[in-house]
Amino acid sequence: MSETTAPTAVPTASVPAGVVAESATARGRRARIALRGLQVVLALFYVIASALPKLIAHASAVESFEELGWGSAGMYTIGVLELAGGIALLIPVLQSVAAMALGALMAGAFVVQVTVFDGQYAATPLILIVPLALIAWARRGHNADLVRLLKRRA
C-alpha cells in the first residue's frame, strides 16, 4: 500500500452552520482573511471616523445632535455604542453580536437621516449595513460560543 492518503471529504451535515469561512481550502482561507480584513476596516471606521468625533465633541457632531434635540448626552451615548461595537468587531466571540448591534444602530441612523436631515446622508448607513450583515451571518457560529460562555459564568 502507498503511504500517501487521499483527503477525506467531510459530510456537510457535520459542518456547523456558522462555519462558512472556516474551510481549510485555499478559497476558504482567502475568504477568512478577506472577512477579517473587512472587520478591521469597519472597526477602524467606527472607532476613528464615527465614535471619536462624538466622544471629543467635535463641532460637526455637536451641531448634528443639537439639531436632533438629543444634546451632548445622546452624542456621547451613540459615540460609546459605536466605540464598543468597533472594538467588539475584533473580539472573536463578540463579532457576530457586534455586527448585529451596529447594524441595528445603522438602521436607526438611516431613519434619523431620512426623517430629520431630509435624507442628505441616508445612503451611508445603508451601505454600512451590507458588510455588517455579512459579518453577522458569516460569524454566527460564535453566538453559540458566547451563549456557552455566559451560561458558564451564570
Side-chain angles (χ1 to χ4, degrees):
M1 279 205 132
S2 171
E3 301 243 351
T4 61
T5 59
T8 59
V10 178
T12 56
S14 67
V15 177
V19 188
V20 170
E22 305 283 336
S23 173
T25 66
R27 181 178 174 199
R29 185 173 186 274
R30 285 192 302 270
R32 200 172 55 248
I33 291 169
L35 188 62
R36 189 62 166 163
L38 178 63
Q39 287 176 238
V40 169
V41 168
L42 281 173
L44 288 171
F45 170 79
Y46 278 104
V47 170
I48 296 169
S50 195
L52 189 62
K54 294 172 183 79
L55 296 175
I56 64 171
H58 189 270
S60 63
V62 171
E63 180 183 326
S64 296
F65 279 88
E66 287 300 325
E67 187 175 338
L68 279 169
W70 294 1
S72 62
M75 179 180 66
Y76 290 126
T77 301
I78 299 296
V80 167
L81 290 172
E82 290 175 340
L83 177 66
I87 293 169
L89 277 174
L90 302 176
I91 301 171
V93 74
L94 298 175
Q95 294 168 348
S96 180
V97 172
M100 288 186 281
L102 286 170
L105 195 62
M106 291 301 98
F110 171 75
V111 170
V112 167
Q113 288 294 332
V114 169
T115 58
V116 177
F117 297 111
D118 299 321
Q120 187 177 4
Y121 298 108
T124 304
L126 289 179
I127 291 168
L128 290 169
I129 286 174
V130 173
L132 289 169
L134 174 67
I135 292 166
W137 182 78
R139 303 292 193 200
R140 68 191 182 278
H142 292 289
N143 292 341
D145 298 336
L146 180 60
V147 169
R148 254 184 264 112
L149 181 66
L150 293 173
K151 282 183 179 178
R152 188 173 43 190
R153 287 191 155 281

